[in-house]
Amino acid sequence: MLCRTAAPALLLAAALATNAQEAPKEATKEPPKPPAWNVNTPPGVAKTASIDVKTGTWMSVDVSPDGKTLLFDLLGDLYTLPVGGGEAKALTHSIAWEQQARFSPDGKQIAFLSDAGGGDNLWVMNVDGSGARAVTQEDFRTLNNPAWHPSGKYLLARKHYTGTRSAGSGEIWLFHVDGEAAKNKGVQLNEKPNWQKDLGEPAISPDGKYLYYSQDATPGRVFEYNKNSNGEIYKIYRQDLSDGSVEPFVQGAGGAVRPTPSPDGKYLAFVRRVRNQSTLFLKDLSTGVERPAWSGLSRDLQEIWAMWGVYPSFAWMPGSKELVVWAEGRIWRVDPFKGTAADIPFHVKDTRELREPMRFAQAVAPDRFAVHQLRGAQVSPDGRRVVYSALGSLYVMDLPDGTPRRLTKQDESFEFAPSWARDGKSLVYATWRDDTQGTVRRLDLASGKDSVLVKEPGKYLEPRLSPDGKQVVYRKIKGGGLTSPWYSLDTGLYLATADGSGKAERIAKEGSGAQFGARSDEVFFTKTSSPSEVEQRFALTRLNLRDRSETEVARSDVASEYSVSPDGQWLGLRRAISCLRNAAAKRAGAIRQGHHRRRQDGRSARAPARRERRLRPALERRQQETALHARR
């Protein structure tokens, strides 16, 4: 059964699906399933590139427990190097990207980060590169910055969390090294500060008592680029693993990142910005004194977002007298007590396997081309026609397979958001032009007369006519960014006469998707709220135009679009590409999607909200490929 109240665009897709179902069914064979994706054997034409380098970019460096061997990453592979420098030896050699390698406390294993399984996970291998295996199998929250627990039985790592932005936050988790990857879910050690401010770069004290990590400590919940590095962006926190208590441990001007405790437990090395220079610092763990140790570092990433770390990881030599760190493309042996550094030369001569990129010839500016994206498709009340916007103009087409034809003749502004009158004889739509901004208009389909209903410049969306055709409701929004900020005062939902006379009246300061049901004296619209940082709630509200009273009709955390049927008996909801219905649009009581509600007789009943049809993600058939003249 089709949704009786789905938006016209939904009905069009559903109608097309129905027509498709009426065609004779042909016996078809299931196509063979493609082989499972393997990062290291992707399809395409293979190509080999040679590399011969003595410098590298953003390299994590570690030192073996005996102090004889260095370990670093370069261009997605891992290498070992004698501590005095020389020819690097490859430990890994594949298309998978491997990085951030660390020696185990006994020097027999290496932990590293690899996307060989499809996403960034923790892996371990023998010190000679053999026996590589996954320790974790995260398929959503990826991991990075592995660090060994002093016992050698566990790995700490940063788990990446995203909410409404790709610039997410992190938490530190603990994983058993010998756990089965698919079941190794780990133990959470701390909690992300919010969904946008970073937390990461875990390190653990040599006695296993304290966890150190860096965290974006700037005010607010929203991540912002280009922060003031002369102030404080990041702090280093210390967490007592015996009771979970946390304290800011290194803070102040220039921030503090990449905590690295010394093997003897006496010092904490870290990176701080001194004006524009990232500088290696030491903190004496007995006195708390902090002092600069070497000013030769490359620029850290405090001002921007740094999922994999604000500075590449570095390491102490076993005697706690020197550090090995990457900077300016090279590996350095730094004496932090004297402030001196010596270059450790390295040479990598290797190859990388690549794939030729897929390229297709494109006609950049043909005179005619197929349009594959239709905006605001609306089926007429009698179900015989569909109107939509394509390339900034309105077109109408007879269903099911008519020829699209242009509705208007003007080329001064873009046309969008069409909506039919209930009698199907006219429609309203919005326009936009960068210099003069937008209007709301009404088009008489028989005569072609085009009337401007809202003449004042502005940014207008979603015009809808009342059932009696005498009023039009629309939304006014703010500008900014790509559009002019002018004419952006008093935004909200407006009601105007459908003949363009009189002055429009604001009926709500917020809301979207305003529409009429069966009556011309009430308007339905959607209110959006945010119960939490990563959640949104959508409530359909009925506004009585006589006394301005409001009643919540439906509420959902997943259905972001509502459509009230013309007879007011049904409520359509769009959830992703699913169409749902509720036979209660006219009831005063609120319906909560997927939850119990109280019936008028006092008994509990499940709010009717069952799936009617899986809609197609894009309109099929020939109108999607209508050949239209390219507009300026």
Side-chain angles (χ1 to χ4, degrees):
M1 178 168 51
L2 297 176
C3 294
R4 292 181 54 187
T5 61
L10 304 184
L11 289 177
L12 172 61
L16 294 174
T18 302
N19 291 337
Q21 287 182 350
E22 293 172 355
K25 295 183 179 179
E26 297 181 2
T28 58
K29 293 182 179 180
E30 287 291 332
K33 291 184 179 180
W37 174 265
N38 187 325
V39 171
N40 286 315
T41 58
V45 179
K47 183 179 179 180
T48 299
S50 298
I51 59 173
D52 189 346
V53 298
K54 295 182 179 179
T55 58
T57 303
W58 210 256
M59 296 159 54
S60 296
V61 185
D62 196 20
V63 182
S64 61
D66 62 8
K68 296 180 180 180
T69 305
L70 301 183
L71 176 63
F72 64 90
D73 54 32
L74 183 124
L75 294 176
D77 278 327
L78 307 179
Y79 295 85
T80 56
L81 180 75
V83 74
E87 291 293 323
K89 177 185 176 183
L91 290 179
T92 62
H93 195 302
S94 67
I95 294 179
W97 195 268
E98 275 121 15
Q99 58 180 321
Q100 298 183 338
R102 314 304 288 175
F103 282 107
S104 62
D106 62 7
K108 295 180 180 180
Q109 290 183 296
I110 293 173
F112 61 100
L113 191 68
S114 175
D115 67 357
D120 291 329
N121 271 286
L122 304 183
W123 287 60
V124 295
M125 63 182 171
N126 298 324
V127 73
D128 62 359
S130 64
R133 61 177 178 85
V135 174
T136 62
Q137 197 172 310
E138 292 283 341
D139 56 4
F140 182 54
R141 303 295 183 190
T142 58
L143 301 168
N144 57 59
N145 281 268
W148 286 92
H149 188 273
S151 67
K153 296 180 179 180
Y154 306 97
L155 284 171
L156 296 88
R158 175 193 182 275
K159 183 179 286 192
H160 181 58
Y161 286 83
T162 53
T164 56
R165 294 179 66 182
S166 61
S169 186
E171 295 176 348
I172 309 304
W173 285 62
L174 185 73
F175 300 90
H176 200 291
V177 174
D178 296 324
E180 183 182 344
K183 299 179 180 179
N184 197 1
K185 301 305 179 183
V187 176
Q188 181 180 356
L189 297 183
N190 56 21
E191 188 172 352
K192 56 188 173 298
N194 50 54
W195 288 87
Q196 295 190 27
K197 295 300 182 69
D198 197 21
L199 181 157
E201 300 184 319
I204 195 165
S205 61
D207 59 6
K209 184 178 180 180
Y210 295 111
L211 166 66
Y212 298 94
Y213 58 90
S214 64
Q215 180 181 319
D216 182 344
T218 53
R221 291 185 170 185
V222 178
F223 171 84
E224 296 179 354
Y225 290 95
N226 299 321
K227 297 177 282 287
N228 179 16
S229 64
N230 291 315
E232 181 183 65
I233 300 177
Y234 277 82
K235 292 180 182 179
I236 291 175
Y237 288 82
R238 185 173 76 170
Q239 179 177 340
D240 190 328
L241 294 177
S242 65
D243 59 13
S245 59
V246 177
E247 60 176 326
F249 196 67
V250 186
Q251 53 191 325
V257 299
R258 190 51 77 179
T260 307
S262 62
D264 61 8
K266 294 181 178 180
Y267 297 95
L268 182 73
F270 64 94
V271 177
R272 166 171 285 160
R273 189 78 65 80
V274 179
R275 294 297 181 182
N276 288 325
Q277 178 60 53
S278 296
T279 304
L280 182 66
F281 268 71
L282 287 188
K283 182 182 183 79
D284 189 314
L285 297 181
S286 61
T287 66
V289 173
E290 300 169 2
R291 62 178 183 83
W294 187 55
S295 60
L297 298 182
S298 294
R299 184 72 168 263
D300 63 65
L301 302 180
Q302 289 192 64
E303 295 96 334
I304 65 173
W305 178 66
M307 169 181 171
W308 286 275
V310 190
Y311 198 85
S313 56
F314 49 86
W316 287 86
M317 294 292 288
S320 299
K321 302 296 184 183
E322 297 174 296
L323 294 114
V324 177
V325 60
W326 170 89
E328 301 299 325
R330 301 182 181 276
I331 299 174
W332 302 85
R333 187 167 181 166
V334 178
D335 185 331
F337 303 99
K338 295 180 180 179
T340 60
D343 177 24
I344 301 176
F346 69 90
H347 180 215
V348 173
K349 190 172 184 180
D350 205 348
T351 60
R352 293 291 185 274
E353 184 180 347
L354 310 175
R355 288 294 184 274
E356 289 283 355
M358 296 182 67
R359 301 184 188 279
F360 298 93
Q362 298 289 338
V364 177
D367 292 334
R368 298 171 69 87
F369 56 91
V371 176
H372 296 277
Q373 181 176 352
L374 311 182
R375 300 182 61 191
Q378 300 282 312
V379 176
S380 61
D382 61 9
R384 296 180 179 180
R385 293 171 294 173
V386 60
V387 64
Y388 57 85
S389 174
L391 300 176
S393 297
L394 295 185
Y395 288 81
V396 67
M397 188 189 82
D398 294 331
L399 292 175
D401 54 3
T403 300
R405 59 187 182 275
R406 178 82 188 273
L407 271 179
T408 64
K409 298 180 180 179
Q410 67 87 24
D411 287 314
E412 297 177 354
S413 58
F414 291 111
E415 306 163 344
F416 61 98
S419 178
W420 294 91
R422 294 291 172 92
D423 59 10
K425 296 180 179 180
S426 64
L427 54 83
V428 289
Y429 65 97
T431 68
W432 175 257
R433 181 184 170 105
D434 286 345
D435 53 358
T436 58
Q437 302 209 18
T439 62
V440 175
R441 303 189 183 195
R442 185 172 187 173
L443 176 67
D444 183 88
L445 296 176
S447 66
K449 181 181 178 181
D450 199 1
S451 305
V452 179
L453 306 185
V454 181
K455 303 179 180 67
E456 180 182 345
K459 287 147 282 275
Y460 303 117
L461 302 172
E462 305 159 355
R464 295 289 186 272
L465 284 164
S466 60
D468 60 13
K470 296 180 179 180
Q471 301 177 99
V472 60
V473 64
Y474 60 91
R475 177 158 64 113
K476 180 181 180 181
I477 64 173
K478 289 183 178 181
L482 296 177
T483 60
S484 169
W486 315 136
Y487 297 99
S488 294
L489 300 177
D490 301 323
T491 58
L493 301 180
Y494 280 78
L495 188 69
T497 57
D499 60 4
S501 64
K503 183 177 176 61
E505 176 189 4
R506 184 165 69 166
I507 56 176
K509 293 183 177 181
E510 60 181 1
S512 63
Q515 58 193 290
F516 291 90
R519 302 162 55 121
S520 296
D521 60 356
E522 61 183 19
V523 169
F524 296 86
F525 65 95
T526 302
K527 286 185 175 181
T528 304
S529 59
S530 299
S532 72
E533 199 173 347
V534 294
E535 293 179 296
Q536 283 191 308
R537 181 165 295 160
F538 306 92
L540 182 67
T541 302
R542 181 172 56 200
L543 172 64
N544 188 312
L545 295 178
R546 292 168 297 178
D547 59 13
R548 295 299 191 266
S549 62
E550 294 184 3
T551 304
E552 185 178 279
V553 176
R555 185 189 317 141
S556 176
D557 296 334
V558 293
S560 58
E561 182 179 340
Y562 298 95
S563 182
V564 180
S565 64
D567 62 5
Q569 300 295 313
W570 298 92
L571 176 61
L573 306 90
R574 173 180 286 181
R575 181 177 65 188
I577 57 170
S578 300
C579 175
L580 307 175
R581 70 177 172 101
N582 275 304
K586 65 178 183 178
R587 299 181 185 175
I591 299 173
R592 296 187 62 191
Q593 175 89 29
H595 295 277
H596 287 282
R597 61 177 174 81
R598 184 65 60 181
R599 296 195 334 190
Q600 293 181 351
D601 58 10
R603 291 179 296 172
S604 178
R606 174 69 69 175
R610 57 188 175 88
R611 187 181 309 275
E612 292 292 341
R613 184 181 299 276
R614 175 66 66 178
L615 296 177
R616 303 185 180 194
L619 296 178
E620 297 179 355
R621 302 181 62 85
R622 192 160 62 99
Q623 68 266 31
Q624 277 190 302
E625 301 176 354
T626 302
L628 300 174
H629 285 289
R631 293 173 55 89
R632 294 192 291 271

